Amino acid sequence: MENLISLVNKIQRACTALGDHGDTSALPTLWDSLPAIAVVGGQSSGKSSVLESVVGKDFLPRGSGIVTRRPLVLQLHKIEEGSREYAEFLHLPRKRFTDFAAVRKEIADETDRETGRTKQISSIPIHLSIYSPNVVNLTLIDLPGLTKVAVEGQPDSVVQEIENMVRSYIEKPNCLILAISPANQDLATSDAIKISRDVDPTGERTFGVLTKIDLMDKGTDAVDILEGKAYRLKFPWIGVVNRSQADINKNVDMIAARRREREYFSGTPEYKHLAHRMGSEHLAKMLSKQLENVIKAKIPGIQSLINKTVLELETELNRLGKPIAADAGGKLYSIMEICRLFDQIYKEHLDGVRSGGDKIYNVFDNQLPAALKRLQFDRQLSMENIKKLITEADGYQPHLIAPEQGYRRLIESSLITIRGPAEAAVDAVHALLKDLVHKAISETLELKQYPGLRVEVTNAACDSLDRMREESKKSTLKLVDMECSYLTVDFFRKLPQDVEKGGNPTHSLFDRYNDAYLRRIGSTVLSYVNMVCATLRHSIPKSIVHCQVREAKRCLLDRFFTELGAMEQKRLSSLLNEDPAVMERRSALSKRLELYRSAQTEIDAVAWSK
Ligand SMILES: Nc1nc2c(ncn2[C@@H]2O[C@H](COP(=O)(O)OP(=O)(O)OP(=O)(O)O)[C@@H](O)[C@H]2O)c(=O)[nH]1
């Protein structure tokens, strides 16, 4: 089970390396869910002394005022008896410290590096690992001492800032609280007990440590507290006797101090019966055991949190899209690939896989026939107009048998009006094709990532559609013009019979412009024009589909691809310019995902070997 603590240690180190120390970075945090032990207490309550006793080493900075200004995550690793003890900082990965005075100096220097020498505080932890045969596997977080007044050079707000920082650590349900109170002060005023009660009212995760028992006034003792008769906590209080200031000045070593502590409890009549559960060695063992228990209990929760977060991170990363290749070839490939995706979506709209293509059929089936119907041929073929056109066409020589030229003019002048609906159909389909471009652009998720490319692809597709519209207009109007150029002979060959039925074409010249004659001409022209309309109703859509819809499907971005091939690397890069915020978020998310994935593997391995 020892590997449980090292597992959490490992993940904690990875968290800090990747900037996850549970602050508000808008990214999911693993740090907060990892069980740890935080040391809290008022200034000079003996926190540093307790930590050093637990470690069995002298390594923490000393001085007046607020010495601990950044959290110190202290990971203790037990190594084989006889091995040389050493320390390592996470921020100095390849440096082994065997001189603990140098460790003390590095803690002070690293604190200053982050906070400046202004005595400010920072919540970014320093990670220190100590490898020693004299420790138990344990992770402790040393926090700045709670204080009531700021020292010189510090703003008054520092008092509150320290409290907030301490609180932010100990309020997490996975944090065990090591509450340090000096025995020579009234426990009712203990800062450690006060703040622990706030965040852990039932005392489920609070461990009370009583320091300075040796400094209590003569005639007083801490037996009631240590026996759990006064200030009772869920876990029994542990008394410790650390080195006094005089011991520190005399450089009394920690191992000797531990021995003296043992002797103190076993040799003092009041505490003799409690000696087996007093002292810093007992404290270290008890904490290690408690930490293991908590980790064991929390592992399933951590596992499910990790699995859930991995999924969330993956989803968001997918949404943000892939990062861009650095070289020109890679960039070109990425652009082509994105364009291909867009093109595919666009085709799906036209082919009915996605919605919108059906509106084109609506133009052919409803809009065009309705527009053709609305053409006012009867106005074109009013008696007056017929008479006028026929007379004009006859010129100085009135027609002898049938008004051939007159017919032609009447038919032409009617057919020419079909150009309007034909052109309108071309424009209507063009507008729909353009709408579908915008739709497909917004549905191509990959384009969201690159606003520059999005604009270029939209413009290129719309330019192509504009060109296709011009071609389509030419061809479609040509169809109408063709109908004007050559009239269907068969239709007119039938006419004499019709005429025979209705009257004699060899009217006297005098009768040629009478109403019945003109009406008959009008109705012949109308039925011819209607016949042509029916033909064009079918051929106009064919021309439009051929010139616009089919072409849009076939080569919407062809010209853009040719231009891409000739583009310089700089311009290609600018097309792939991403929103910097997106780039930053992607890189932060990938790092966090990496952390979660490795934590997932590590935890799974330990959980399986349980
Ligand atoms: N005699 C005796 N002195 C102690 C004991 N514990 C701490 N001291 C002394 O009390 C003083 C303060 O102890 P520290 O361990 O520095 O206390 P701290 O809470 O870390 O203080 P800050 O970091 O300044 O908040 C030092 O001079 C210690 O030698 C103890 O159990 N007995």
Side-chain angles (χ1 to χ4, degrees), residues 562-584:
T562 319
E563 285 168 10
L564 271 182
M567 259 181 214
E568 285 174 13
Q569 155 112 9
K570 221 166 129 192
R571 178 120 162 70
L572 284 179
S573 305
S574 78
L575 282 183
L576 291 176
N577 270 352
E578 268 193 295
D579 183 351
V582 173
M583 283 160 83
E584 231 167 76

mmCIF file with all atom_site columns, all heavy atoms in Angstrom, residues 562-584:
data_model
loop_
_atom_site.group_PDB
_atom_site.id
_atom_site.type_symbol
_atom_site.label_atom_id
_atom_site.label_alt_id
_atom_site.label_comp_id
_atom_site.label_asym_id
_atom_site.label_entity_id
_atom_site.label_seq_id
_atom_site.pdbx_PDB_ins_code
_atom_site.Cartn_x
_atom_site.Cartn_y
_atom_site.Cartn_z
_atom_site.occupancy
_atom_site.B_iso_or_equiv
_atom_site.pdbx_formal_charge
_atom_site.auth_seq_id
_atom_site.auth_comp_id
_atom_site.auth_asym_id
_atom_site.auth_atom_id
_atom_site.pdbx_PDB_model_num
ATOM 1   N N   . THR A 1 562 ? -6.127  26.117 -57.632 1.00 0.00 ? 562 THR A N   1
ATOM 2   C CA  . THR A 1 562 ? -5.019  26.536 -58.505 1.00 0.00 ? 562 THR A CA  1
ATOM 3   C C   . THR A 1 562 ? -4.292  27.710 -57.859 1.00 0.00 ? 562 THR A C   1
ATOM 4   O O   . THR A 1 562 ? -3.060  27.753 -57.831 1.00 0.00 ? 562 THR A O   1
ATOM 5   C CB  . THR A 1 562 ? -5.579  26.974 -59.881 1.00 0.00 ? 562 THR A CB  1
ATOM 6   O OG1 . THR A 1 562 ? -6.597  26.073 -60.244 1.00 0.00 ? 562 THR A OG1 1
ATOM 7   C CG2 . THR A 1 562 ? -4.517  27.049 -60.928 1.00 0.00 ? 562 THR A CG2 1
ATOM 8   N N   . GLU A 1 563 ? -5.051  28.640 -57.312 1.00 0.00 ? 563 GLU A N   1
ATOM 9   C CA  . GLU A 1 563 ? -4.416  29.800 -56.671 1.00 0.00 ? 563 GLU A CA  1
ATOM 10  C C   . GLU A 1 563 ? -3.590  29.371 -55.464 1.00 0.00 ? 563 GLU A C   1
ATOM 11  O O   . GLU A 1 563 ? -2.493  29.873 -55.244 1.00 0.00 ? 563 GLU A O   1
ATOM 12  C CB  . GLU A 1 563 ? -5.491  30.784 -56.201 1.00 0.00 ? 563 GLU A CB  1
ATOM 13  C CG  . GLU A 1 563 ? -6.104  31.580 -57.324 1.00 0.00 ? 563 GLU A CG  1
ATOM 14  C CD  . GLU A 1 563 ? -7.373  32.330 -56.896 1.00 0.00 ? 563 GLU A CD  1
ATOM 15  O OE1 . GLU A 1 563 ? -7.661  32.366 -55.675 1.00 0.00 ? 563 GLU A OE1 1
ATOM 16  O OE2 . GLU A 1 563 ? -8.048  32.829 -57.791 1.00 0.00 ? 563 GLU A OE2 1
ATOM 17  N N   . LEU A 1 564 ? -4.133  28.398 -54.714 1.00 0.00 ? 564 LEU A N   1
ATOM 18  C CA  . LEU A 1 564 ? -3.417  27.909 -53.516 1.00 0.00 ? 564 LEU A CA  1
ATOM 19  C C   . LEU A 1 564 ? -2.043  27.384 -53.887 1.00 0.00 ? 564 LEU A C   1
ATOM 20  O O   . LEU A 1 564 ? -1.050  27.660 -53.213 1.00 0.00 ? 564 LEU A O   1
ATOM 21  C CB  . LEU A 1 564 ? -4.194  26.751 -52.891 1.00 0.00 ? 564 LEU A CB  1
ATOM 22  C CG  . LEU A 1 564 ? -5.261  27.054 -51.864 1.00 0.00 ? 564 LEU A CG  1
ATOM 23  C CD1 . LEU A 1 564 ? -5.853  25.755 -51.359 1.00 0.00 ? 564 LEU A CD1 1
ATOM 24  C CD2 . LEU A 1 564 ? -4.694  27.854 -50.701 1.00 0.00 ? 564 LEU A CD2 1
ATOM 25  N N   . GLY A 1 565 ? -2.013  26.616 -54.992 1.00 0.00 ? 565 GLY A N   1
ATOM 26  C CA  . GLY A 1 565 ? -0.764  26.005 -55.447 1.00 0.00 ? 565 GLY A CA  1
ATOM 27  C C   . GLY A 1 565 ? 0.306   27.051 -55.694 1.00 0.00 ? 565 GLY A C   1
ATOM 28  O O   . GLY A 1 565 ? 1.491   26.802 -55.479 1.00 0.00 ? 565 GLY A O   1
ATOM 29  N N   . ALA A 1 566 ? -0.119  28.253 -56.099 1.00 0.00 ? 566 ALA A N   1
ATOM 30  C CA  . ALA A 1 566 ? 0.865   29.285 -56.427 1.00 0.00 ? 566 ALA A CA  1
ATOM 31  C C   . ALA A 1 566 ? 1.140   30.217 -55.247 1.00 0.00 ? 566 ALA A C   1
ATOM 32  O O   . ALA A 1 566 ? 1.935   31.138 -55.344 1.00 0.00 ? 566 ALA A O   1
ATOM 33  C CB  . ALA A 1 566 ? 0.343   30.086 -57.613 1.00 0.00 ? 566 ALA A CB  1
ATOM 34  N N   . MET A 1 567 ? 0.482   29.951 -54.113 1.00 0.00 ? 567 MET A N   1
ATOM 35  C CA  . MET A 1 567 ? 0.630   30.876 -52.986 1.00 0.00 ? 567 MET A CA  1
ATOM 36  C C   . MET A 1 567 ? 1.948   30.691 -52.251 1.00 0.00 ? 567 MET A C   1
ATOM 37  O O   . MET A 1 567 ? 2.447   29.585 -52.118 1.00 0.00 ? 567 MET A O   1
ATOM 38  C CB  . MET A 1 567 ? -0.502  30.629 -51.975 1.00 0.00 ? 567 MET A CB  1
ATOM 39  C CG  . MET A 1 567 ? -1.606  31.604 -52.072 1.00 0.00 ? 567 MET A CG  1
ATOM 40  S SD  . MET A 1 567 ? -2.833  31.218 -50.837 1.00 0.00 ? 567 MET A SD  1
ATOM 41  C CE  . MET A 1 567 ? -4.294  31.695 -51.716 1.00 0.00 ? 567 MET A CE  1
ATOM 42  N N   . GLU A 1 568 ? 2.466   31.803 -51.735 1.00 0.00 ? 568 GLU A N   1
ATOM 43  C CA  . GLU A 1 568 ? 3.715   31.716 -50.962 1.00 0.00 ? 568 GLU A CA  1
ATOM 44  C C   . GLU A 1 568 ? 3.384   31.224 -49.556 1.00 0.00 ? 568 GLU A C   1
ATOM 45  O O   . GLU A 1 568 ? 2.263   31.381 -49.083 1.00 0.00 ? 568 GLU A O   1
ATOM 46  C CB  . GLU A 1 568 ? 4.319   33.110 -50.839 1.00 0.00 ? 568 GLU A CB  1
ATOM 47  C CG  . GLU A 1 568 ? 4.958   33.574 -52.110 1.00 0.00 ? 568 GLU A CG  1
ATOM 48  C CD  . GLU A 1 568 ? 5.406   35.018 -51.965 1.00 0.00 ? 568 GLU A CD  1
ATOM 49  O OE1 . GLU A 1 568 ? 5.420   35.516 -50.828 1.00 0.00 ? 568 GLU A OE1 1
ATOM 50  O OE2 . GLU A 1 568 ? 5.710   35.612 -53.004 1.00 0.00 ? 568 GLU A OE2 1
ATOM 51  N N   . GLN A 1 569 ? 4.440   30.708 -48.926 1.00 0.00 ? 569 GLN A N   1
ATOM 52  C CA  . GLN A 1 569 ? 4.269   30.156 -47.573 1.00 0.00 ? 569 GLN A CA  1
ATOM 53  C C   . GLN A 1 569 ? 3.631   31.169 -46.612 1.00 0.00 ? 569 GLN A C   1
ATOM 54  O O   . GLN A 1 569 ? 2.779   30.832 -45.799 1.00 0.00 ? 569 GLN A O   1
ATOM 55  C CB  . GLN A 1 569 ? 5.666   29.736 -47.073 1.00 0.00 ? 569 GLN A CB  1
ATOM 56  C CG  . GLN A 1 569 ? 5.821   29.702 -45.577 1.00 0.00 ? 569 GLN A CG  1
ATOM 57  C CD  . GLN A 1 569 ? 6.001   28.288 -45.076 1.00 0.00 ? 569 GLN A CD  1
ATOM 58  O OE1 . GLN A 1 569 ? 6.175   27.366 -45.848 1.00 0.00 ? 569 GLN A OE1 1
ATOM 59  N NE2 . GLN A 1 569 ? 5.952   28.114 -43.785 1.00 0.00 ? 569 GLN A NE2 1
ATOM 60  N N   . LYS A 1 570 ? 4.053   32.456 -46.783 1.00 0.00 ? 570 LYS A N   1
ATOM 61  C CA  . LYS A 1 570 ? 3.561   33.478 -45.867 1.00 0.00 ? 570 LYS A CA  1
ATOM 62  C C   . LYS A 1 570 ? 2.040   33.613 -45.971 1.00 0.00 ? 570 LYS A C   1
ATOM 63  O O   . LYS A 1 570 ? 1.341   33.727 -44.968 1.00 0.00 ? 570 LYS A O   1
ATOM 64  C CB  . LYS A 1 570 ? 4.227   34.821 -46.215 1.00 0.00 ? 570 LYS A CB  1
ATOM 65  C CG  . LYS A 1 570 ? 4.631   35.602 -44.990 1.00 0.00 ? 570 LYS A CG  1
ATOM 66  C CD  . LYS A 1 570 ? 5.561   36.690 -45.389 1.00 0.00 ? 570 LYS A CD  1
ATOM 67  C CE  . LYS A 1 570 ? 5.076   38.006 -44.828 1.00 0.00 ? 570 LYS A CE  1
ATOM 68  N NZ  . LYS A 1 570 ? 5.782   39.139 -45.417 1.00 0.00 ? 570 LYS A NZ  1
ATOM 69  N N   . ARG A 1 571 ? 1.605   33.603 -47.219 1.00 0.00 ? 571 ARG A N   1
ATOM 70  C CA  . ARG A 1 571 ? 0.163   33.783 -47.444 1.00 0.00 ? 571 ARG A CA  1
ATOM 71  C C   . ARG A 1 571 ? -0.608  32.545 -46.950 1.00 0.00 ? 571 ARG A C   1
ATOM 72  O O   . ARG A 1 571 ? -1.671  32.658 -46.368 1.00 0.00 ? 571 ARG A O   1
ATOM 73  C CB  . ARG A 1 571 ? -0.057  34.024 -48.932 1.00 0.00 ? 571 ARG A CB  1
ATOM 74  C CG  . ARG A 1 571 ? -1.465  34.175 -49.336 1.00 0.00 ? 571 ARG A CG  1
ATOM 75  C CD  . ARG A 1 571 ? -1.734  35.520 -49.981 1.00 0.00 ? 571 ARG A CD  1
ATOM 76  N NE  . ARG A 1 571 ? -2.988  35.461 -50.729 1.00 0.00 ? 571 ARG A NE  1
ATOM 77  C CZ  . ARG A 1 571 ? -4.177  35.365 -50.162 1.00 0.00 ? 571 ARG A CZ  1
ATOM 78  N NH1 . ARG A 1 571 ? -4.282  35.358 -48.856 1.00 0.00 ? 571 ARG A NH1 1
ATOM 79  N NH2 . ARG A 1 571 ? -5.273  35.278 -50.903 1.00 0.00 ? 571 ARG A NH2 1
ATOM 80  N N   . LEU A 1 572 ? 0.004   31.361 -47.185 1.00 0.00 ? 572 LEU A N   1
ATOM 81  C CA  . LEU A 1 572 ? -0.631  30.131 -46.695 1.00 0.00 ? 572 LEU A CA  1
ATOM 82  C C   . LEU A 1 572 ? -0.781  30.210 -45.181 1.00 0.00 ? 572 LEU A C   1
ATOM 83  O O   . LEU A 1 572 ? -1.818  29.870 -44.623 1.00 0.00 ? 572 LEU A O   1
ATOM 84  C CB  . LEU A 1 572 ? 0.219   28.904 -47.039 1.00 0.00 ? 572 LEU A CB  1
ATOM 85  C CG  . LEU A 1 572 ? 0.199   28.406 -48.484 1.00 0.00 ? 572 LEU A CG  1
ATOM 86  C CD1 . LEU A 1 572 ? 1.120   27.212 -48.636 1.00 0.00 ? 572 LEU A CD1 1
ATOM 87  C CD2 . LEU A 1 572 ? -1.211  28.013 -48.903 1.00 0.00 ? 572 LEU A CD2 1
ATOM 88  N N   . SER A 1 573 ? 0.300   30.671 -44.530 1.00 0.00 ? 573 SER A N   1
ATOM 89  C CA  . SER A 1 573 ? 0.265   30.757 -43.067 1.00 0.00 ? 573 SER A CA  1
ATOM 90  C C   . SER A 1 573 ? -0.828  31.707 -42.629 1.00 0.00 ? 573 SER A C   1
ATOM 91  O O   . SER A 1 573 ? -1.541  31.449 -41.661 1.00 0.00 ? 573 SER A O   1
ATOM 92  C CB  . SER A 1 573 ? 1.588   31.279 -42.507 1.00 0.00 ? 573 SER A CB  1
ATOM 93  O OG  . SER A 1 573 ? 2.613   30.480 -42.966 1.00 0.00 ? 573 SER A OG  1
ATOM 94  N N   . SER A 1 574 ? -0.940  32.822 -43.375 1.00 0.00 ? 574 SER A N   1
ATOM 95  C CA  . SER A 1 574 ? -1.943  33.807 -42.931 1.00 0.00 ? 574 SER A CA  1
ATOM 96  C C   . SER A 1 574 ? -3.359  33.234 -43.075 1.00 0.00 ? 574 SER A C   1
ATOM 97  O O   . SER A 1 574 ? -4.247  33.583 -42.306 1.00 0.00 ? 574 SER A O   1
ATOM 98  C CB  . SER A 1 574 ? -1.799  35.113 -43.694 1.00 0.00 ? 574 SER A CB  1
ATOM 99  O OG  . SER A 1 574 ? -2.366  34.984 -44.972 1.00 0.00 ? 574 SER A OG  1
ATOM 100 N N   . LEU A 1 575 ? -3.537  32.338 -44.056 1.00 0.00 ? 575 LEU A N   1
ATOM 101 C CA  . LEU A 1 575 ? -4.861  31.707 -44.186 1.00 0.00 ? 575 LEU A CA  1
ATOM 102 C C   . LEU A 1 575 ? -5.169  30.854 -42.972 1.00 0.00 ? 575 LEU A C   1
ATOM 103 O O   . LEU A 1 575 ? -6.315  30.689 -42.578 1.00 0.00 ? 575 LEU A O   1
ATOM 104 C CB  . LEU A 1 575 ? -4.905  30.798 -45.422 1.00 0.00 ? 575 LEU A CB  1
ATOM 105 C CG  . LEU A 1 575 ? -5.065  31.471 -46.770 1.00 0.00 ? 575 LEU A CG  1
ATOM 106 C CD1 . LEU A 1 575 ? -5.164  30.431 -47.857 1.00 0.00 ? 575 LEU A CD1 1
ATOM 107 C CD2 . LEU A 1 575 ? -6.328  32.330 -46.784 1.00 0.00 ? 575 LEU A CD2 1
ATOM 108 N N   . LEU A 1 576 ? -4.097  30.308 -42.403 1.00 0.00 ? 576 LEU A N   1
ATOM 109 C CA  . LEU A 1 576 ? -4.294  29.415 -41.249 1.00 0.00 ? 576 LEU A CA  1
ATOM 110 C C   . LEU A 1 576 ? -4.084  30.140 -39.931 1.00 0.00 ? 576 LEU A C   1
ATOM 111 O O   . LEU A 1 576 ? -3.857  29.512 -38.900 1.00 0.00 ? 576 LEU A O   1
ATOM 112 C CB  . LEU A 1 576 ? -3.363  28.211 -41.355 1.00 0.00 ? 576 LEU A CB  1
ATOM 113 C CG  . LEU A 1 576 ? -3.704  27.231 -42.480 1.00 0.00 ? 576 LEU A CG  1
ATOM 114 C CD1 . LEU A 1 576 ? -2.676  26.134 -42.554 1.00 0.00 ? 576 LEU A CD1 1
ATOM 115 C CD2 . LEU A 1 576 ? -5.080  26.632 -42.287 1.00 0.00 ? 576 LEU A CD2 1
ATOM 116 N N   . ASN A 1 577 ? -4.121  31.460 -39.980 1.00 0.00 ? 577 ASN A N   1
ATOM 117 C CA  . ASN A 1 577 ? -3.990  32.214 -38.731 1.00 0.00 ? 577 ASN A CA  1
ATOM 118 C C   . ASN A 1 577 ? -5.164  31.885 -37.837 1.00 0.00 ? 577 ASN A C   1
ATOM 119 O O   . ASN A 1 577 ? -6.311  32.055 -38.223 1.00 0.00 ? 577 ASN A O   1
ATOM 120 C CB  . ASN A 1 577 ? -3.993  33.712 -39.012 1.00 0.00 ? 577 ASN A CB  1
ATOM 121 C CG  . ASN A 1 577 ? -2.597  34.207 -39.232 1.00 0.00 ? 577 ASN A CG  1
ATOM 122 O OD1 . ASN A 1 577 ? -1.643  33.447 -39.023 1.00 0.00 ? 577 ASN A OD1 1
ATOM 123 N ND2 . ASN A 1 577 ? -2.458  35.431 -39.661 1.00 0.00 ? 577 ASN A ND2 1
ATOM 124 N N   . GLU A 1 578 ? -4.818  31.431 -36.650 1.00 0.00 ? 578 GLU A N   1
ATOM 125 C CA  . GLU A 1 578 ? -5.896  31.073 -35.725 1.00 0.00 ? 578 GLU A CA  1
ATOM 126 C C   . GLU A 1 578 ? -6.086  32.203 -34.738 1.00 0.00 ? 578 GLU A C   1
ATOM 127 O O   . GLU A 1 578 ? -5.189  33.008 -34.515 1.00 0.00 ? 578 GLU A O   1
ATOM 128 C CB  . GLU A 1 578 ? -5.475  29.845 -34.926 1.00 0.00 ? 578 GLU A CB  1
ATOM 129 C CG  . GLU A 1 578 ? -5.890  28.563 -35.545 1.00 0.00 ? 578 GLU A CG  1
ATOM 130 C CD  . GLU A 1 578 ? -5.710  27.463 -34.525 1.00 0.00 ? 578 GLU A CD  1
ATOM 131 O OE1 . GLU A 1 578 ? -4.567  27.187 -34.142 1.00 0.00 ? 578 GLU A OE1 1
ATOM 132 O OE2 . GLU A 1 578 ? -6.703  26.898 -34.108 1.00 0.00 ? 578 GLU A OE2 1
ATOM 133 N N   . ASP A 1 579 ? -7.213  32.180 -34.118 1.00 0.00 ? 579 ASP A N   1
ATOM 134 C CA  . ASP A 1 579 ? -7.462  33.074 -33.022 1.00 0.00 ? 579 ASP A CA  1
ATOM 135 C C   . ASP A 1 579 ? -6.445  32.705 -31.917 1.00 0.00 ? 579 ASP A C   1
ATOM 136 O O   . ASP A 1 579 ? -6.394  31.558 -31.483 1.00 0.00 ? 579 ASP A O   1
ATOM 137 C CB  . ASP A 1 579 ? -8.908  32.801 -32.563 1.00 0.00 ? 579 ASP A CB  1
ATOM 138 C CG  . ASP A 1 579 ? -9.336  33.719 -31.470 1.00 0.00 ? 579 ASP A CG  1
ATOM 139 O OD1 . ASP A 1 579 ? -8.460  34.427 -30.961 1.00 0.00 ? 579 ASP A OD1 1
ATOM 140 O OD2 . ASP A 1 579 ? -10.533 33.718 -31.144 1.00 0.00 ? 579 ASP A OD2 1
ATOM 141 N N   . PRO A 1 580 ? -5.585  33.655 -31.474 1.00 0.00 ? 580 PRO A N   1
ATOM 142 C CA  . PRO A 1 580 ? -4.561  33.296 -30.473 1.00 0.00 ? 580 PRO A CA  1
ATOM 143 C C   . PRO A 1 580 ? -5.164  32.680 -29.214 1.00 0.00 ? 580 PRO A C   1
ATOM 144 O O   . PRO A 1 580 ? -4.572  31.794 -28.609 1.00 0.00 ? 580 PRO A O   1
ATOM 145 C CB  . PRO A 1 580 ? -3.871  34.622 -30.158 1.00 0.00 ? 580 PRO A CB  1
ATOM 146 C CG  . PRO A 1 580 ? -4.298  35.568 -31.202 1.00 0.00 ? 580 PRO A CG  1
ATOM 147 C CD  . PRO A 1 580 ? -5.525  35.052 -31.869 1.00 0.00 ? 580 PRO A CD  1
ATOM 148 N N   . ALA A 1 581 ? -6.352  33.138 -28.855 1.00 0.00 ? 581 ALA A N   1
ATOM 149 C CA  . ALA A 1 581 ? -6.990  32.594 -27.643 1.00 0.00 ? 581 ALA A CA  1
ATOM 150 C C   . ALA A 1 581 ? -7.276  31.104 -27.823 1.00 0.00 ? 581 ALA A C   1
ATOM 151 O O   . ALA A 1 581 ? -7.089  30.305 -26.902 1.00 0.00 ? 581 ALA A O   1
ATOM 152 C CB  . ALA A 1 581 ? -8.277  33.345 -27.366 1.00 0.00 ? 581 ALA A CB  1
ATOM 153 N N   . VAL A 1 582 ? -7.670  30.737 -29.058 1.00 0.00 ? 582 VAL A N   1
ATOM 154 C CA  . VAL A 1 582 ? -7.960  29.319 -29.323 1.00 0.00 ? 582 VAL A CA  1
ATOM 155 C C   . VAL A 1 582 ? -6.672  28.508 -29.225 1.00 0.00 ? 582 VAL A C   1
ATOM 156 O O   . VAL A 1 582 ? -6.631  27.421 -28.638 1.00 0.00 ? 582 VAL A O   1
ATOM 157 C CB  . VAL A 1 582 ? -8.581  29.149 -30.738 1.00 0.00 ? 582 VAL A CB  1
ATOM 158 C CG1 . VAL A 1 582 ? -8.727  27.695 -31.098 1.00 0.00 ? 582 VAL A CG1 1
ATOM 159 C CG2 . VAL A 1 582 ? -9.913  29.862 -30.812 1.00 0.00 ? 582 VAL A CG2 1
ATOM 160 N N   . MET A 1 583 ? -5.589  29.075 -29.790 1.00 0.00 ? 583 MET A N   1
ATOM 161 C CA  . MET A 1 583 ? -4.315  28.347 -29.759 1.00 0.00 ? 583 MET A CA  1
ATOM 162 C C   . MET A 1 583 ? -3.865  28.103 -28.318 1.00 0.00 ? 583 MET A C   1
ATOM 163 O O   . MET A 1 583 ? -3.438  27.021 -27.967 1.00 0.00 ? 583 MET A O   1
ATOM 164 C CB  . MET A 1 583 ? -3.237  29.150 -30.501 1.00 0.00 ? 583 MET A CB  1
ATOM 165 C CG  . MET A 1 583 ? -3.375  29.054 -31.996 1.00 0.00 ? 583 MET A CG  1
ATOM 166 S SD  . MET A 1 583 ? -2.538  30.401 -32.796 1.00 0.00 ? 583 MET A SD  1
ATOM 167 C CE  . MET A 1 583 ? -0.883  29.802 -32.829 1.00 0.00 ? 583 MET A CE  1
ATOM 168 N N   . GLU A 1 584 ? -3.995  29.167 -27.533 1.00 0.00 ? 584 GLU A N   1
ATOM 169 C CA  . GLU A 1 584 ? -3.575  29.064 -26.136 1.00 0.00 ? 584 GLU A CA  1
ATOM 170 C C   . GLU A 1 584 ? -4.405  28.015 -25.391 1.00 0.00 ? 584 GLU A C   1
ATOM 171 O O   . GLU A 1 584 ? -3.877  27.184 -24.679 1.00 0.00 ? 584 GLU A O   1
ATOM 172 C CB  . GLU A 1 584 ? -3.803  30.413 -25.476 1.00 0.00 ? 584 GLU A CB  1
ATOM 173 C CG  . GLU A 1 584 ? -2.599  30.924 -24.741 1.00 0.00 ? 584 GLU A CG  1
ATOM 174 C CD  . GLU A 1 584 ? -2.804  32.382 -24.407 1.00 0.00 ? 584 GLU A CD  1
ATOM 175 O OE1 . GLU A 1 584 ? -3.575  32.650 -23.479 1.00 0.00 ? 584 GLU A OE1 1
ATOM 176 O OE2 . GLU A 1 584 ? -2.225  33.233 -25.114 1.00 0.00 ? 584 GLU A OE2 1
#
